[in-house]
Amino acid sequence: MEPMEVVRISYGSIALFWSILHNVFLLYYVEIFVSVYKIDKTSFWIGEAVFLVWNSLNDPLFGWISDHGSLENNIHVGSIEIVRKRIRALMKFSPVFVLGFLSFWFSWLQPSLQFVICLCIYDAFLTLIDLNHSALLADLALSEEERTKLNSYSSFFSAIGSTSVFISYYFWDKEFIITFQTFCVCLAIFSFVGFVLSTSTLKHYFEKTSRSSVLTSTNERHEVATRHNSSSLALKRYVKQLLGHKNFWWFTAMNLIQVFHCHFNSNFFPLFLDKLLGHTLSPKSAAFLLGLSFVTPHINNLYFLTLCRRFGAYIVIRWLFYVKLALSLVMLMLGPDYTTLLCIFIASNRVFTEGTCKLLNLVISDLVDEDYVIHHRKQSISALVFGTSALLSKPGQTLAPLLGTWLLAKQTGYSIFYSDEVSGTHSSDLFLDEKNFHDRTGNDVKYGCFQVLVYVPIVCAILQIIFWSRFKLHGRRLKVVTSQRIGAEIGGAV
């Protein structure tokens, strides 16, 4: 096997080992605290509010720490040392990420405290893994062709990792949680071993690499013979530069909605299956549909990436927004009584939404190049750009369960929480309704869930189409930026 092929496989396999855990987390972390640990609504909202702040701040913080150190050391863009640094970070933080995942599934503290602590610890190390893995995409490759190849490997392995969702549905039983806990421990052990093997392989390859180069479409670049005397990038200067980066802001506005919609689908997918299709789907069929909705986006992404190489990521993403809007409008007109079509819609809504998410790293990598070119940098600040993008879009991850639970309560008339201690008092009738929400199967709950299921993607798609039409880093502009970035890499200066 060619050395570069080994690098691509190792890079892609990292996505397998974090996605196999993260998909289970997305599906069940709300459910286990609400249905098993019986967290009250006040504690849930406070916990999500704390998580919102931490989830947003840790991305640029960790990105700044990562890239600021490189800038201070005057490491030139494309230096193999930047790649090695990111690999060392992946090796260091992946074991703690695995432990953070395990902390959710065992009750070891009062629910409200455990909820906040688990979310913050898990997200901190997930961010460190995701940031360094995503930044490697911009650091390992400059050409769109090579970046789509690396992304294809990540999609392939992420598809394999999504099979954990198929299996998890068979183990999930809130009345006998020990089977699910055992399943999560097995997943954690498998992922830990996988992280060690994949990162060790990457480390071994780049320790043997003596030339200061990384992957391009020809797998080779010229080494820059001289280093530049660049001062460290001041935070105020970076913020000022960022304020003038219009493409970055339009992308972030679109991505905020995308993150919200992706996590909304993940958090409430089992609930929609239960309330809209529970009377017609067997547990095996529900498990299959659930798993299919997680695996298919990664498989589809292999095709989407082929389209990206042909038409560009901008056009492919735009058409995915149109498809999401069209499907939602058709389902709205048909109503919730067409079971087969509803199954297709629930799955396809998640497929096309997640499919868009998988392409966004390509766009952020292009934004890294544009930032590098327009500000005449000595080296790219890929982790910082990825981290700042996450700072402004990650609130969608917290807003998804908060707005989702609020919308469901408004549309159905019942809270999904088993208790609601907003003021320490409540009427007995209200408490009874809220406590029995999960057992209700009437038309009021069914139609309420259907309205939330359909209207959310309609609103998201319309806003995203508007924002995305203002994004200009595509076509001729993108070709100019890419050629200047590659030229600077070869020549040593913009």
Side-chain angles (χ1 to χ4, degrees):
M1 186 180 295
E2 294 183 2
M4 296 306 157
E5 190 71 9
V6 173
V7 172
R8 296 186 190 110
I9 291 174
S10 299
Y11 173 83
S13 65
I14 292 173
L16 162 65
F17 303 118
W18 74 260
S19 66
I20 203 172
L21 302 182
H22 191 54
N23 287 330
V24 172
F25 160 79
L26 290 176
L27 268 181
Y28 296 105
Y29 92 89
V30 172
E31 183 73 8
I32 197 166
F33 275 93
V34 170
S35 300
V36 179
Y37 303 152
K38 303 293 196 321
I39 190 173
D40 63 273
K41 186 166 74 174
T42 303
S43 298
F44 180 82
W45 279 66
I46 292 174
E48 287 287 0
V50 173
F51 176 55
L52 170 63
V53 176
W54 172 241
N55 188 27
S56 300
L57 293 179
N58 63 24
D59 291 273
L61 174 64
F62 295 151
W64 175 260
I65 292 172
S66 177
D67 283 337
H68 189 62
S70 299
L71 286 164
E72 285 186 327
N73 293 329
N74 292 328
I75 301 173
H76 187 271
V77 61
S79 171
I80 209 69
E81 289 304 319
I82 294 178
V83 176
R84 288 172 176 166
K85 180 180 180 181
R86 304 212 189 283
I87 295 170
R88 288 195 295 270
L90 288 170
M91 297 183 72
K92 183 190 304 181
F93 299 123
S94 55
V96 192
F97 166 67
V98 172
L99 290 176
F101 168 79
L102 283 176
S103 67
F104 282 92
W105 319 117
F106 298 88
S107 180
W108 49 274
L109 197 61
Q110 199 272 338
S112 57
L113 292 176
Q114 183 177 345
F115 185 63
V116 175
I117 294 172
C118 287
L119 277 178
C120 291
I121 291 177
Y122 176 82
D123 184 71
F125 291 97
L126 172 65
T127 298
L128 288 166
I129 298 292
D130 190 29
L131 261 184
N132 284 282
H133 187 250
S134 298
L136 275 176
L137 181 66
D139 294 333
L140 287 173
L142 293 184
S143 71
E144 186 173 5
E145 180 182 356
E146 187 59 49
R147 282 175 178 172
T148 53
K149 285 182 181 179
L150 288 169
N151 212 332
S152 295
Y153 277 83
S154 289
S155 295
F156 173 75
F157 282 105
S158 293
I160 299 174
S162 298
T163 56
S164 63
V165 177
F166 279 105
I167 308 171
S168 67
Y169 201 83
Y170 291 101
F171 287 94
W172 174 254
D173 183 354
K174 62 184 180 183
E175 304 301 331
F176 189 67
I177 198 65
I178 190 170
T179 56
F180 185 75
Q181 292 171 331
T182 304
F183 169 71
C184 289
V185 170
C186 293
L187 284 185
I189 294 172
F190 175 78
S191 294
F192 172 76
V193 174
F195 275 125
V196 171
L197 292 176
S198 58
T199 54
S200 297
T201 301
L202 281 174
K203 180 183 178 183
H204 177 71
Y205 172 80
F206 285 105
E207 281 183 345
K208 290 170 55 179
T209 304
S210 58
R211 54 186 171 81
S212 181
S213 63
V214 290
L215 298 174
T216 65
S217 56
T218 60
N219 296 327
E220 217 174 90
R221 294 193 205 137
H222 295 289
E223 181 177 4
V224 179
T226 60
R227 296 190 182 265
H228 295 268
N229 296 320
S230 61
S231 59
S232 62
L233 183 66
L235 179 59
K236 290 183 180 179
R237 181 185 174 193
Y238 171 71
V239 171
K240 184 179 180 180
Q241 291 171 341
L242 186 66
L243 291 175
H245 197 168
K246 293 182 179 179
N247 284 325
F248 177 85
W249 286 104
W250 287 118
F251 168 82
T252 299
M254 179 278 295
N255 194 29
L256 171 64
I257 300 171
Q258 187 65 27
V259 170
F260 166 81
H261 195 197
C262 284
H263 284 83
F264 174 85
N265 285 339
S266 297
N267 293 156
F268 298 101
F269 196 105
L271 185 145
F272 289 139
L273 282 182
D274 179 40
K275 297 303 178 184
L276 295 172
L277 299 168
H279 60 291
T280 57
L281 284 182
S282 66
K284 288 185 178 181
S285 299
F288 176 78
L289 186 61
L290 185 65
L292 190 67
S293 71
F294 274 80
V295 174
T296 306
H298 301 292
I299 298 175
N300 272 0
N301 198 40
L302 299 175
Y303 174 66
F304 293 154
L305 287 168
T306 301
L307 293 178
C308 287
R309 286 194 286 269
R310 183 176 178 182
F311 301 106
Y314 174 85
I315 292 177
V316 175
I317 291 171
R318 184 180 64 187
W319 278 105
L320 285 172
F321 292 152
Y322 285 128
V323 169
K324 179 168 69 175
L325 178 60
L327 289 173
S328 301
L329 290 173
V330 170
M331 197 66 240
L332 176 63
M333 290 185 290
L334 291 175
D337 297 324
Y338 293 86
T339 303
T340 302
L341 293 177
L342 191 58
C343 283
I344 295 173
F345 173 74
I346 292 176
S348 63
N349 178 41
R350 189 170 165 14
V351 166
F352 287 109
T353 303
E354 289 292 328
T356 304
C357 287
K358 307 307 175 188
L359 302 178
L360 296 185
N361 280 353
L362 292 175
V363 181
I364 301 177
S365 295
D366 292 336
L367 288 168
V368 171
D369 293 344
E370 187 178 42
D371 172 85
Y372 173 81
V373 169
I374 63 179
H375 297 301
H376 307 285
R377 302 208 188 280
K378 306 303 181 184
Q379 62 200 70
S380 68
I381 49 173
S382 52
L384 188 52
V385 174
F386 273 93
T388 308
S389 173
L391 164 68
L392 301 170
S393 59
K394 277 289 186 70
Q397 182 176 344
T398 301
L399 291 174
L402 294 181
L403 286 180
T405 54
W406 179 77
L407 286 171
L408 286 169
K410 293 292 287 185
Q411 293 300 320
T412 65
Y414 308 109
S415 171
I416 72 169
F417 296 95
Y418 281 85
S419 62
D420 184 9
E421 301 173 354
V422 177
S423 306
T425 62
H426 44 256
S427 69
S428 58
D429 291 339
L430 180 61
F431 178 69
L432 182 61
D433 283 342
E434 289 170 346
K435 186 175 182 180
N436 293 331
F437 170 86
H438 296 275
D439 299 323
R440 290 181 176 271
T441 56
N443 285 334
D444 51 352
V445 172
K446 179 180 179 180
Y447 281 97
C449 289
F450 177 77
Q451 288 178 317
V452 174
L453 173 69
V454 174
Y455 282 120
V456 166
I458 289 175
V459 174
C460 288
I462 291 173
L463 290 175
Q464 287 177 305
I465 290 170
I466 294 172
F467 294 146
W468 199 231
S469 66
R470 306 299 301 273
F471 184 81
K472 303 302 180 184
L473 187 57
H474 58 91
R476 185 175 180 275
R477 169 61 182 168
L478 180 58
K479 290 180 180 178
V480 170
V481 167
T482 302
S483 64
Q484 289 184 4
R485 171 77 194 270
I486 295 176
E489 174 68 9
I490 295 175
V494 176

